[in-house]
Amino acid sequence: MILAVDVQYEQDCGYVAGLLFERWDAMAPVATFSKQQMGVGEYVPGEFYKRELPCILALLGELDQLPETILIDGFVFLDGHAHAGLGKHLYDALDGKAKVIGVAKTSYAGIGDDYKLLRGDSIKALFITCIGLELAAAREHIAAMHGRHRMPVLLKTVDRLCREQALAGATGIAQDVRQG
């Protein structure tokens, strides 16, 4: 299985959503998950992972088994290969038991052209980083995902689900959701 995750915040509360799917070209998830995580703390420049990682780990704790690959909204390595980002910290927290692919919408200083991926007719690249698999394979997986535009449909869907969960939490009606 493949899991795409995204995290949103409302003050000190994190909202994490995940979509499980079986194939890279899947048009729809086989299951969706959401979780609210209190006490995520403030954003600290250069330590983004400290805020997101507990939320993602809490969501993974809700799954029956660890997915083979996890897609994150962000970088595995900030420079592509050495400077640890959220994805590397996730990989380490899981003792390397799941591959991690980072899909970032904006560049980070030091990230090279090898990490750029153009999808569809977009002239704006995504930035792909990974651990546990070769960069070429990670790029092929993201390129193969369903959708004609820059962002694959399932990554847009997990982002929307996460935003909806955060909005519901801000209005006092958030709850953990598990659909399968």
Side-chain angles (χ1 to χ4, degrees):
M1 287 297 232
I2 305 158
L3 177 70
V5 296
D6 200 0
V7 182
Q8 301 286 323
Y9 306 97
E10 181 64 37
Q11 297 174 1
D12 73 337
C13 186
Y15 300 90
V16 60
L19 301 178
L20 270 177
F21 53 104
E22 295 176 331
R23 299 169 22 122
W24 289 104
D25 62 350
M27 294 177 20
V30 295
T32 62
F33 304 87
S34 296
K35 185 150 185 70
Q36 183 177 352
Q37 182 76 18
M38 299 302 294
V40 293
E42 294 294 319
Y43 168 72
V44 177
E47 297 181 353
F48 172 71
Y49 71 93
K50 288 184 178 179
R51 206 166 184 215
E52 297 238 340
L53 186 58
C55 298
I56 295 171
L57 292 174
L59 181 76
L60 289 170
E62 299 290 315
L63 303 181
D64 294 333
Q65 67 182 38
L66 192 63
E68 179 182 335
T69 305
I70 301 169
L71 300 178
I72 62 162
D73 178 10
F75 287 92
V76 174
F77 292 100
L78 301 178
D79 60 356
H81 63 280
H83 188 208
L86 171 63
K88 171 66 164 107
H89 291 285
L90 175 61
Y91 183 81
D92 290 347
L94 299 174
D95 296 323
K97 294 178 182 166
K99 301 169 194 165
V100 180
I101 299 174
V103 180
K105 296 178 278 300
T106 57
S107 179
Y108 191 86
I111 197 83
D113 287 345
D114 292 348
Y115 301 94
K116 290 182 179 179
L117 174 67
L118 292 173
R119 283 182 36 95
D121 58 1
S122 178
I123 59 170
K124 196 168 182 182
L126 295 172
F127 299 88
I128 310 302
T129 53
C130 60
I131 191 165
L133 71 163
E134 295 295 323
L135 178 59
R139 289 170 45 93
E140 287 174 16
H141 292 326
I142 304 306
M145 291 182 76
H146 178 67
R148 298 182 335 198
H149 302 290
R150 178 179 181 227
M151 286 300 292
V153 169
L154 291 178
L155 296 185
K156 282 184 179 180
T157 303
V158 75
D159 176 73
R160 179 185 48 77
L161 179 63
C162 194
R163 288 179 192 272
E164 289 171 356
Q165 180 73 355
L167 181 61
T171 60
I173 56 171
Q175 59 185 350
D176 289 351
V177 175
R178 181 179 176 142
Q179 299 173 331

